[in-house]
Amino acid sequence: MPQLLLEIFSEEIPARMQQGAARDLERMVSERLKAAGLTWEALNVFAGPRRLTLVIDGLPVAAEDRNEEVKGPKTSAPAQALEGFLRKTGLTQEQLVERDGVWFAEISSQGRQTTEVFAEAVDQIVRSFPWPKSMRWGTGSLRWVRPIKRIIALFDGAVVPFEIDGIQSGDVTEGHRFLGSGKPFAVKDFADYRAKLERDFVLLDVADRKLRILEAAKAACAARGLVLVDDDGLLDEVAGLAEWPTPILGDMDPQFLSLPPEVVRLSMKVHQKYFAVRDPAKDGLAPNFLVVANVEATDGGKALAAGNSRVLSARLNDARFFWDEDQKVGFDAWNDKLKGVTFHAKLGTLAERVDRIAALAREIAPLVGADADQAEQAARLSKADLASGMVSEFPELQGIMGGYYARLAGYPVAVADAVRDHYKPQGPGDSVPTAPVTVAVAIAEKLDTLVGFFAIDEKPTGSRDPYALRRAALGVIRLVLESGARIGLRGDAFSAAMAALEKDNVQRAVDKLSLETELSAFFADRLTVLLRDQGQRHDLVAAVFALGDDDLVRIVRRVEALAAFLATDDGANLLAGYKRASNILKAEEKKGPLPEGAVATGLPNQPAEETALAFAAAATATAVDAALETEDFAAAMTALARLRGPVDAFFTGVMVNSEVAEERENRLKLLGQVRGVMGRVADFGQIAG
C-alpha cells in the first residue's frame, strides 16, 4: 500500500521542544486521519534541529465508504429535540426511520481521497500547532516556532499539492547547513529521503544522533585514558542541537578543579552544554571537557576546542568569584536575608519556615535516632544558601552549596551532610538519605511543606500540583521506610508541625481534625502508589489502612505479610470463607442487631464442626493478639491459616440459619467471632477476590 511522507523544514527548533513536537505531530495527524476513516500499518515521527518528519506506511488511496446508523430522540420527544437531531444529521423527517418508538438516521458517506484529507489536515495542523512559543515572520500571518522554509508532502511518490501562507508543498529539502552540498535536492520516498539526508550530513533519527555522540565521545576520551561522565539529560539536549554531531575533547585550566565538582559540571552543562570528564585512576573530575560540535573541523577540532576552553574559563572564573565571595559572608548574614524573603503569602517568610523546620526536626530527631541539637542546627542552616551568590547563579545547587559552606565553616560532618541532603529524595529515582540527622531534617522539611499547604487549603487537584506535595509525601514515606522510623501520621510529629504553624499565626482554612483526616488519606494514596509500583495490590493497602493504623513501617509490614498469606491456598480459601461469613452477617444485620456474647459449646446436638470452629477461633484470637503485640505479622497470618480447615468444615457441615433460635444465634455469634479475629489483622472485606 502507498506511503505518505511529510517534512516541515524550518530554521532551528529549540532542542527542548523537539520531542514534544514529535508527539504532537503524531497525535494531530493520527486524529485527523482516523476521523476520516483512514487506517495504516505503521507511523513514525522524527524531530531534529531543523525539521519535523512524519512517514506513514500502508495507507489506502481513499477511505472506505461509510454507512452509519445514528440514534435520535424518541418519537414522543418534544419537537425541539427532533429539530435539533435533523440539523445535526442534515436530513428531513421523511428520511428518518422509526423503530420501537425511536427515530434513527441512516447516513451514508463516500470515502474521501487520502491526498485530500492529508492536504487539509496539514493545513489545520500547521496553523494550530501547540508550540510553547511561536513567532510570525515576513508579512504573513502564519505562526511557527521558527520561520518555515519548505514542506515536503508525498503520497505514493507523488507530490500532494497545497499551499500554506505562501509556502508551496513539494518534494525538495536541504541537507546540513555547513557540511552539506548547499544545494536543495528532490526525494521520491522515505528511504530515498533518509539516505540522501545522511549523504548530506543529516542524521534524521535522534536515536542515531545519540549513538554517534556516545560512541565518538567515549572513543575520544579513551584515546586520552579518560572516561566520559554520563548525563542522560545533557545527551538528550545536545542530540537536538546538531544534525551531524561531532564530539571534541578539550582541555580546561586545572586550577578550576579546586571548585566543588558540582559547580564545574553545572557550569559546563547549563551554560556551555559540555560533558564533564574524569580520570578513572583518580578521584574527581579531569581537567577536560567534551563539546558536541555541529561540524567536522579540518584540524580535528583543535581550534574549536581552544575557543570553547576560553569560554569555559570565563564561566568558571565567575563561579570561582561566587565561591570565594560566599565564604566571606557566611550563614548568619544569609539567614538574616531570609527574613525579607516570602516563602508564601499565607505561610510567612523563609526565616519563619526555617524556625518551623528546626522545631520539627528537634521533635523528630529522637524518633530516628538523631542528636536533637545537631538536627536543629542543621535545620537552621538548611535554607541559608538560598541567599548565597552561588545558588543565585545556579539554583540547582541549593543544599549542595550549603553543605560545602557548612564544612568550611567548621560545622560537624553530620550537620553539613544534613544541609546538603535535606531536599532528598526529590523524585522516584533519587537516593534516600539514611544518616539520622539528615533523615530528621529531611522529614521535617517535607512535613512542614505538607502540613502548611494543606492547612491553607492549597491541595493538589487532578494533575495540578504546583507545590509538589505528592513528591513531598512520597519523600516522607520513603525516608520513614528506609530508616525504619516509627513516626505516626497523627502523632507527635504532626502535632509539632501544627504547633509551629500556630506559633507563626498562620490562618488555617482547614480545622485540625479535617487536616489530620485529609493528610492521612493523602499519605495512604501515595503509599498505595509506591507499593503498587513495587508490585503490591492497592486493595491490600486499603485493607490495612482501614484499621486506622498510622505507623507507615507497620502498615507496610502488614501489607507484605498479607500479600504473602493471600498467595497461599490457605489464604485464598480463608478469604472466600470470610466473604461468605460476612455476607451472611450483613444479611442478618439488615433484619436487626446481631446477637452478642460468648459462643457456647456443648449445646445439645451441637455439630462437631461448630465446636471445632469455636475452639479454633478462640485459640486463633489468642495467637493473633500475641503476634500483633510483637508486630510479628507473618506469625499472625500463620495463626489465621489454622482457621482455614475449621471454617471450610463449618460451612460444609453446619446450617447457620437453623430453625432453632438458640442454634442460629450461637452460629451467628461464631461467624462474628471469626470476622472479628480476622479483622484484627486487616479489613478482609476490602480485598478483591
Side-chain angles (χ1 to χ4, degrees):
M1 294 180 77
Q3 180 191 80
L4 186 149
L5 174 63
L6 171 69
E7 180 202 67
I8 303 175
F9 179 80
S10 69
E11 295 295 338
E12 271 71 12
I13 303 169
R16 68 182 184 280
M17 298 183 187
Q18 290 170 20
Q19 296 313 305
R23 291 190 293 270
D24 287 331
L25 181 61
E26 178 179 0
R27 172 182 56 81
M28 296 173 83
V29 169
S30 297
E31 289 174 352
R32 284 161 175 78
L33 296 185
K34 287 178 181 177
L38 291 166
T39 59
W40 55 88
E41 294 174 1
L43 185 154
N44 290 288
V45 183
F46 306 91
R50 295 201 295 163
R51 64 197 83 221
L52 290 179
T53 303
L54 177 140
V55 58
I56 304 178
D57 290 304
L59 270 171
V61 174
E64 294 182 356
D65 295 342
R66 290 192 288 183
N67 295 307
E68 182 181 10
E69 184 178 72
V70 181
K71 184 179 180 181
K74 293 182 177 180
T75 54
S76 59
Q80 295 91 329
L82 178 59
E83 291 170 3
F85 183 62
L86 294 175
R87 284 195 300 271
K88 174 184 174 182
T89 58
L91 302 177
T92 64
Q93 185 173 348
E94 290 72 26
Q95 293 173 297
L96 301 182
V97 175
E98 184 271 330
R99 190 164 62 249
D100 298 328
V102 177
W103 291 114
F104 289 87
E106 295 180 355
I107 301 175
S108 300
S109 60
Q110 184 176 2
R112 298 173 65 195
Q113 293 293 307
T114 298
T115 52
E116 178 187 352
V117 173
F118 178 62
E120 182 182 287
V122 174
D123 184 87
Q124 294 171 353
I125 290 168
V126 170
R127 295 184 186 281
S128 62
F129 204 82
W131 292 107
K133 289 185 178 181
S134 58
M135 62 180 292
R136 289 186 297 178
W137 61 94
T139 58
S141 61
L142 187 64
R143 299 189 69 90
W144 196 249
V145 63
R146 296 290 186 270
I148 296 176
K149 299 298 184 182
R150 301 178 184 276
I151 297 177
I152 288 180
L154 295 177
F155 182 68
D156 201 18
V159 172
V160 180
F162 58 84
E163 178 264 334
I164 303 176
D165 214 36
I167 304 168
Q168 188 68 43
S169 63
D171 60 357
V172 175
T173 189
E174 301 175 26
H176 195 283
R177 186 188 294 275
F178 308 115
L179 299 175
S181 64
K183 298 177 181 179
F185 51 84
V187 300
K188 58 185 180 182
D189 56 26
F190 179 70
D192 183 47
Y193 166 78
R194 187 169 192 167
K196 287 180 176 177
L197 281 178
E198 288 200 23
R199 287 199 294 270
D200 225 32
F201 299 95
V202 174
L203 288 176
L204 184 66
D205 194 334
V206 66
D208 292 337
R209 297 196 295 272
K210 287 182 182 181
L211 182 61
R212 176 181 168 85
I213 291 169
L214 283 177
E215 289 181 344
K218 290 179 178 179
C221 290
R224 299 268 297 270
L226 302 172
V227 176
L228 186 73
V229 175
D230 292 333
D231 190 326
D232 292 340
L234 182 57
L235 179 62
D236 289 340
E237 186 171 8
V238 296
L241 296 174
E243 291 187 308
W244 193 257
T246 304
I248 297 171
L249 185 65
D251 300 318
M252 60 179 273
D253 191 333
Q255 66 172 323
F256 292 120
L257 295 183
S258 62
L259 291 168
E262 295 89 348
V263 173
V264 177
R265 287 188 62 183
L266 206 58
S267 292
M268 289 181 178
K269 177 177 180 176
V270 172
H271 291 137
Q272 306 306 130
K273 315 304 177 193
Y274 300 163
F275 287 89
V277 175
R278 63 182 179 85
D279 185 340
K282 302 177 183 177
D283 291 333
L285 300 177
N288 303 89
F289 62 89
L290 192 132
V291 59
V292 178
N294 195 28
V295 294
E296 287 185 340
T298 55
D299 64 352
K302 291 180 180 179
L304 277 169
N308 280 284
S309 179
R310 288 192 294 271
V311 174
L312 178 59
S313 291
R315 291 293 187 187
L316 290 176
N317 270 322
D318 290 342
R320 184 164 55 187
F321 170 79
F322 292 124
W323 172 249
D324 293 339
E325 289 301 304
D326 281 346
Q327 293 177 59
K328 299 175 185 177
V329 179
F331 286 93
D332 290 342
W334 292 331
N335 273 331
D336 196 53
K337 280 187 178 181
L338 298 185
K339 296 176 182 177
V341 180
T342 299
F343 170 61
H344 186 279
K346 296 180 180 180
L347 294 173
T349 65
L350 273 175
E352 290 171 324
R353 171 163 158 78
V354 167
D355 286 341
R356 294 197 298 268
I357 296 172
L360 194 49
R362 189 171 193 88
E363 190 74 31
I364 292 171
L367 304 177
V368 298
D371 180 275
D373 291 336
Q374 288 191 342
E376 180 179 353
Q377 185 178 54
R380 293 198 177 280
L381 302 178
S382 62
K383 304 298 179 184
D385 70 351
L386 295 174
S388 69
M390 189 71 84
V391 174
S392 295
E393 181 73 7
F394 298 111
E396 301 92 336
L397 294 178
Q398 57 187 294
I400 293 172
M401 295 314 303
Y404 277 110
Y405 294 140
R407 283 176 180 267
L408 290 171
Y411 287 100
V413 172
V415 171
D417 287 351
V419 173
R420 180 192 64 198
D421 295 334
H422 79 281
Y423 290 104
K424 290 178 173 287
Q426 297 191 68
D430 199 7
S431 60
V432 180
T434 56
V437 175
T438 304
V439 171
V441 180
I443 292 176
E445 195 264 351
K446 293 165 182 60
L447 197 55
D448 175 74
T449 299
L450 288 159
V451 173
F453 282 107
F454 267 73
I456 62 173
D457 203 25
E458 289 282 0
K459 302 181 288 290
T461 55
S463 61
R464 186 175 176 274
D465 186 10
Y467 303 111
L469 301 186
R470 293 188 181 98
R471 187 176 70 187
L474 192 56
V476 171
I477 291 170
R478 293 179 67 197
L479 285 160
V480 169
L481 296 182
E482 285 286 335
S483 66
R486 312 312 296 265
I487 299 177
L489 300 180
R490 301 186 185 93
D492 293 340
F494 173 83
S495 299
M498 284 296 303
L501 285 176
E502 291 166 356
K503 183 180 177 182
D504 285 344
N505 297 315
V506 171
Q507 298 298 311
R508 294 202 312 269
V510 181
D511 66 78
K512 185 174 180 180
L513 182 59
S514 297
L515 184 54
E516 285 188 25
T517 302
E518 289 181 351
L519 267 175
S520 181
F522 188 66
F523 273 105
D525 177 69
R526 292 298 90 197
L527 180 61
T528 300
V529 171
L530 177 66
L531 294 180
R532 186 177 61 209
D533 290 343
Q534 296 175 356
Q536 295 288 12
R537 289 162 41 183
H538 68 88
D539 57 332
L540 303 191
V541 182
V544 171
F545 254 106
L547 301 180
D549 195 356
D550 66 345
D551 185 310
L552 293 173
V553 172
R554 193 160 51 231
I555 289 169
V556 171
R557 289 177 183 170
R558 280 182 185 264
V559 171
E560 291 171 347
L562 183 59
F565 175 57
L566 292 175
T568 66
D569 288 341
D570 284 343
N573 287 332
L574 186 58
L575 175 62
Y578 173 92
K579 290 188 176 295
R580 185 172 178 182
S582 185
N583 288 337
I584 293 172
L585 293 172
K586 286 177 182 177
E588 292 299 318
E589 283 174 330
K590 293 178 181 179
K591 303 174 184 176
L594 292 174
E596 298 179 355
V599 176
T601 57
L603 294 175
N605 302 316
Q606 188 173 40
E609 296 88 350
E610 182 178 343
T611 303
L613 180 56
F615 284 119
T620 299
T622 301
V624 165
D625 287 345
L628 294 180
E629 184 68 26
T630 59
E631 298 188 6
D632 188 346
F633 301 114
M637 299 302 168
T638 300
L640 286 185
R642 299 191 190 107
L643 278 178
R644 182 260 177 103
V647 167
D648 288 349
F650 176 82
F651 281 121
T652 301
V654 178
M655 174 68 70
V656 176
N657 285 315
S658 169
E659 294 181 357
V660 179
E662 185 181 15
E663 291 179 349
R664 174 179 167 277
E665 287 186 5
N666 197 61
R667 291 165 188 173
L668 289 175
K669 289 178 185 178
L670 180 53
L671 292 183
Q673 186 178 14
V674 170
R675 183 171 69 172
V677 170
M678 295 182 67
R680 298 178 196 181
V681 176
D683 182 353
F684 282 80
Q686 303 241 19
I687 299 174

